């Protein structure tokens, strides 16, 4: 029963992350005069005939977004940590299949804290400065 609760918790977290990363964009922008600009990625605004520089980034443009986490891949808690790592990787893969985050690839970096709390704290302190997103 306890393992089902853990699995349900992991799946719930993954679902929330995937839902939060969805852009919900319909492809149309509203212009200041109430018309609709169907060229969110640049081109000519169909309501005014003016060039629209666009505000969206082309797919794959820019550096990847780094998602980092510290997990006890070895030591006392290694079995549940492997499941967490696999769940995070599934989430990252699903996000990348949908075009990434703001058109940028999401990359997962996992570090082994060896089931040692002091190592985990040191890793997270460093990750705060280096990674864009922390899983934990």
């Amino acid at each position: 029963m306890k393992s089902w609760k853990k699995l349900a918790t992991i799946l719930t977290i993954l679902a929330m992350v995937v839902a939060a990363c969805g852009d919900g964009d319909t492809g149309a922008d509203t212009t200041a005069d109430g018309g609709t600009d169907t060229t969110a990625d640049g081109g000519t605004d169909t309501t005014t005939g003016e060039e629209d520089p666009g505000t969206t980034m082309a797919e794959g443009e820019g550096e990847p977004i780094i998602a980092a986490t510290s997990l006890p891949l070895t030591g006392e808690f290694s079995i549940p940590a492997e499941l967490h790592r696999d769940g995070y990787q599934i989430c990252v893969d699903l996000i990348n299949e949908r075009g990434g985050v703001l058109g940028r690839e999401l990359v997962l970096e996992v570090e082994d804290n060896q089931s040692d709390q002091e190592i985990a704290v040191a890793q997270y302190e460093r990750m705060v400065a280096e990674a864009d997103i922390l899983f934990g």
Side-chain angles (χ1 to χ4, degrees):
M1 184 69 170
K2 192 174 185 180
S3 63
W4 285 106
K5 287 183 181 180
K6 287 181 183 179
L7 180 60
T9 302
I10 291 170
L11 292 176
T12 301
I13 291 169
L14 289 175
M16 289 189 304
V17 171
V18 170
C21 292
D23 63 3
D25 187 13
T26 62
D29 291 338
T30 304
T31 62
D33 63 357
T36 301
D37 175 10
T38 58
T39 62
D41 60 347
T44 303
D45 183 336
T46 57
T47 60
T48 64
E50 297 174 6
E51 283 295 314
D52 181 10
T55 57
T56 59
M57 186 177 292
E59 187 172 332
E61 191 175 314
E63 294 182 16
I65 296 174
I66 305 299
T69 189
S70 173
L71 293 172
L73 298 174
T74 58
E76 183 179 352
F77 304 109
S78 62
I79 293 174
E82 291 174 7
L83 297 174
H84 281 86
R85 180 197 58 210
D86 294 346
Y88 291 149
Q89 189 60 57
I90 289 169
C91 179
V92 168
D93 292 344
L94 289 172
I95 291 168
N96 286 332
E97 285 176 10
R98 297 177 119 193
V101 178
L102 300 174
R104 294 167 53 192
E105 178 185 19
L106 185 62
V107 176
L108 177 64
E109 293 183 359
V110 179
E111 293 191 25
D112 180 13
N113 62 34
Q114 303 166 11
S115 298
D116 185 320
Q117 183 177 359
E118 291 179 15
I119 293 173
V121 168
Q123 288 174 337
Y124 274 116
E125 286 176 348
R126 184 178 37 64
M127 288 177 191
V128 165
E130 296 176 0
D132 300 304
I133 301 170
L134 294 180
F135 290 155

